[in-house]
């Protein structure tokens, strides 16, 4: 086989910075991983039971392309109720995770000459999805001193006549940052002024601690320029079910649906039944998990600060993003040496963009005893550096 | 309610330091120390223990639930008899129940014979105990809130995200 069979587009796609790291982790035993961004819970049993029941009842065929009507309506009702939105079923499609929703959104709106503003550090798939759609990523760094919030003035200087959209995810993977209403309103102003679409990945929206999430589409005039992406993986510990959704103005949603019809057909039927149960009957189970993440969040932030790191307080998702520059190591050196010396896996901040240099991502959706042991090992590692 | 939060954290993991509990509850280590001291004094905390999967050790124990019917006594009802049953070292849990039986007693012994001796020679001879029914435990699936079999399995595969 030669390289010549591989498309230019596939060749140009950068391998994930995390991949390289996980290959290292996979070959080391006794590792405590703060690496994977996944709940350590299994899916609440009631949700699993409803999927099993659906199969027994004969729900084994395709659903409508856009998803089960009851589920689409339930997703709209839930968002409308919590955020004061006015979505109808025709604005909603059920997808194979928020990942598919993101891909459909990018493919539906982007032309090859378009530019998309993407704040960094960000989820590894954002730049890849934009590039696969043929468009150009324009990175905008966010800073610890600004609580990793996206500032309108930082975006405005990057806007050109080719700018089509802004793509962001808050609560943020990897920083754990959330956006205040004031900052989001500034972005909304900018979107209006320059006629931009906003792709808002709100997959972590239920995972906020002490602060209510502000849904971008709920800001005045924004429902008609927002593609809202979400899903069930994080709040209901349903990562393996691959079930998410997209909400958008009808003409954009119809375009997304056209692509979805050809490449996906529909999301898994059993997963859709499970998702409906999650939404309608499992808020308590979800809240119990989120309360527990909050305890772990405070445990890891407190522990890392006592070791001596400057740690931005994450108010959402399940990541913390300590500043490791005091060790004199780069993000990659820190992560690699920590793994080799103490068998603790964290992800170098640079995996999420150049502006992640000086940080590492620690996922605290991990057993409490593992977090405690990881903190002990990290402390030992940091002390060894001083010698 | 910081007291309930501290106790709830402690209930799930009694090995945490005061500082760790303080971090998790968002209060100071001194406050945690005070709450725990008071909870000990008030007998809100009754003890600290590990949850052991005895099946994995060669030295296995036998557990049984014993239902007992008893004749309540004047003025004290079931309490005096229940409290005297609690004093047998074989008993782990002793509860007054609604329904057909009066007391449900969890006992632990080194053999079936141990437990049989306890029931026939000790429990049945207590004044007021009118009948017993023994149920030997065959397998633990969930122990003190922890699913026994899941603790060892890591089903996760590596992926990129």
């Amino acid at each position: 086989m030669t390289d010549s069979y591989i498309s230019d587009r596939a060749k140009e796609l950068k391998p994930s910075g995390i991949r390289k790291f996980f290959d290292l982790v996979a070959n080391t035993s006794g590792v405590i991983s703060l690496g994977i961004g996944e709940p350590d819970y299994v899916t609440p049993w009631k949700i699993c039971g409803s999927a099993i029941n659906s199969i027994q009842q004969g729900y084994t065929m395709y659903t409508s392309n856009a998803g089960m009507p009851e589920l689409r309506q339930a997703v709209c009702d839930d968002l409308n109720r919590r955020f004061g939105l006015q979505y109808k079923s025709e604005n909603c499609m059920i997808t194979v995770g928020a990942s598919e929703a993101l891909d459909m959104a990018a493919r539906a709106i982007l032309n090859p000459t378009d530019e998309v503003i993407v704040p960094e550090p960000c989820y590894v798939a954002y730049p890849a999805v934009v590039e696969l759609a043929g468009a150009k990523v324009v990175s905008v760094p966010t800073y610890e001193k600004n609580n990793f919030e996206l500032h309108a003035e930082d975006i405005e200087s990057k806007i050109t006549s080719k700018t089509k959209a802004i793509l962001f995810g808050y609560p943020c993977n990897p920083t754990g940052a959330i956006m205040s209403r004031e900052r989001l309103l500034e972005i909304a102003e900018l979107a209006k002024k320059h006629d931009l679409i906003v792709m808002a990945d709100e997959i972590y929206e239920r995972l906020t601690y002490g602060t209510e999430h502000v849904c971008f589409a709920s800001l005045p005039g924004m429902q008609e320029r927002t593609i809202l992406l979400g899903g069930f993986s994080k709040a209901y510990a349903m990562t393996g079910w691959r079930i998410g959704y997209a909400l958008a103005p009808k003409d954009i949603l119809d375009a997304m649906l056209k692509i979805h019809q050809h490449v996906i057909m529909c999301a898994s039927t059993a997963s859709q039944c499970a998702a409906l149960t999650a939404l309608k009957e499992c808020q308590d189970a979800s809240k119990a998990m989120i309360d527990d993440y909050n305890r772990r969040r405070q445990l890891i932030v407190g522990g890392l600060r006592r070791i001596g790191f400057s740690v931005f307080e994450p108010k959402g998702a399940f990541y913390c993003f300590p500043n490791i520059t005091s060790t004199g190591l780069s993000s990659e050196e820190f992560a690699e040496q920590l793994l080799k010396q103490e068998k603790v896996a964290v992800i170098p901040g640079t995996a999420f963009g150049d502006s992640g240099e000086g940080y590492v991502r620690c996922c605290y959706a991990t057993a409490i005893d593992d977090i405690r042991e990881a903190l002990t090992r990290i402390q030992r590692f940091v002390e060894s550096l001083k010698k | 309610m910081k007291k309930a939060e501290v106790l709830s954290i402690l209930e799930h993991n009694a090995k945490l330091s005061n500082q760790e509990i303080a971090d998790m509850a968002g209060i100071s280590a001194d406050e945690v120390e005070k709450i725990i001291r008071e909870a000990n004094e008030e007998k809100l905390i009754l003890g600290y223990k590990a949850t052991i999967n005895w099946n994995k050790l060669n030295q296995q124990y036998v557990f049984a639930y014993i239902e007992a019917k008893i004749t309540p006594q004047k003025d004290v009802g079931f309490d005096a008899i229940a409290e005297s049953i609690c004093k047998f070292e074989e008993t782990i849990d002793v509860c007054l129940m609604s329904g057909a039986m009066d007391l449900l007693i969890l006992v632990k012994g080194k053999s079936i014979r141990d437990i049989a001796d306890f029931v026939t020679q000790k429990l049945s001879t207590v004044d007021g105990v009118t009948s017993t029914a023994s149920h030997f435990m065959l397998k633990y699936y969930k122990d003190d809130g922890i699913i026994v079999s899941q603790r060892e399995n890591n089903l996760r595969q590596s992926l990129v995200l």
Side-chain angles (χ1 to χ4, degrees), chain A residues 25-257:
Chain A
V25 175
N27 296 320
T28 319
S29 65
V31 172
I32 294 181
S33 178
L34 306 178
I36 290 253
E38 178 175 29
D40 65 327
Y41 287 103
V42 294
T43 309
W45 182 248
K46 197 169 196 175
I47 297 174
C48 301
S50 73
I52 294 166
N53 190 42
S54 75
I55 294 166
Q56 285 172 336
Q57 304 245 317
Y59 285 92
T60 56
M61 56 284 287
Y62 297 128
T63 66
S64 313
N65 292 114
M68 286 164 46
E70 313 88 290
L71 179 58
R72 293 165 71 198
Q73 189 60 53
V75 168
C76 292
D77 290 347
D78 171 64
L79 291 166
N80 292 347
R81 179 178 56 76
R82 290 188 295 131
F83 300 119
L85 295 156
Q86 279 88 40
Y87 283 122
K88 296 182 193 148
S89 279
E90 64 181 25
N91 300 115
C92 175
M93 68 190 269
I94 306 301
T95 56
V96 181
S99 298
E100 192 228 333
L102 173 63
D103 185 34
M104 294 303 126
R107 291 206 231 185
I109 64 166
L110 297 178
N111 284 315
T113 53
D114 290 339
E115 294 178 356
V116 180
I117 304 268
V118 182
E120 269 190 11
C122 69
Y123 177 49
V124 293
Y126 294 167
V129 163
V130 170
E131 281 163 11
L132 279 172
K136 190 182 157 203
V137 174
V138 178
S139 299
V140 176
T142 58
Y143 304 98
E144 184 180 358
K145 65 175 167 38
N146 294 339
N147 299 325
F148 290 108
E149 281 187 295
L150 182 56
H151 283 210
E153 67 256 28
D154 293 338
I155 303 181
E156 190 145 32
S157 59
K158 301 281 182 88
I159 290 176
T160 70
S161 58
K162 293 176 183 166
T163 308
K164 179 74 164 279
I166 305 173
L167 163 57
F168 59 69
Y170 287 94
C172 176
N173 170 10
T175 62
I178 55 168
M179 284 279 275
S180 66
R181 178 175 294 275
E182 293 66 37
R183 292 286 170 206
L184 284 173
L185 281 168
E186 291 171 15
I187 309 282
E189 273 310 308
L190 217 56
K192 247 184 271 180
K193 184 171 157 196
H194 298 278
D195 192 21
L196 306 176
I197 295 285
V198 173
M199 292 189 265
D201 175 3
E202 302 188 7
I203 182 76
Y204 292 100
E205 52 106 343
R206 285 180 192 268
L207 280 72
T208 58
Y209 310 103
T211 316
E212 288 291 308
H213 173 72
V214 181
C215 177
F216 188 79
S218 72
L219 302 177
M222 284 304 111
Q223 189 172 319
E224 57 256 40
R225 22 179 104 249
T226 303
I227 307 180
L228 171 58
L229 313 169
F232 295 84
S233 294
K234 314 294 180 179
Y236 302 96
M238 290 179 70
T239 49
W241 299 78
R242 308 309 307 123
I243 196 83
Y245 49 79
L247 294 104
K250 188 170 182 307
D251 48 349
I252 294 179
L253 195 94
D254 286 348
M256 292 168 66
L257 204 47

Side-chain angles (χ1 to χ4, degrees), chain B residues 85-93 105-109 114-115 117-118 122:
Chain B
I85 291 171
C86 287
K87 295 197 176 98
F88 292 121
E89 61 188 16
E90 293 89 342
T91 61
I92 296 174
D93 297 340
I105 305 158
L106 177 62
V107 297
K108 176 179 170 186
D114 260 7
I115 290 177
D117 287 349
F118 165 74
K122 295 183 180 171

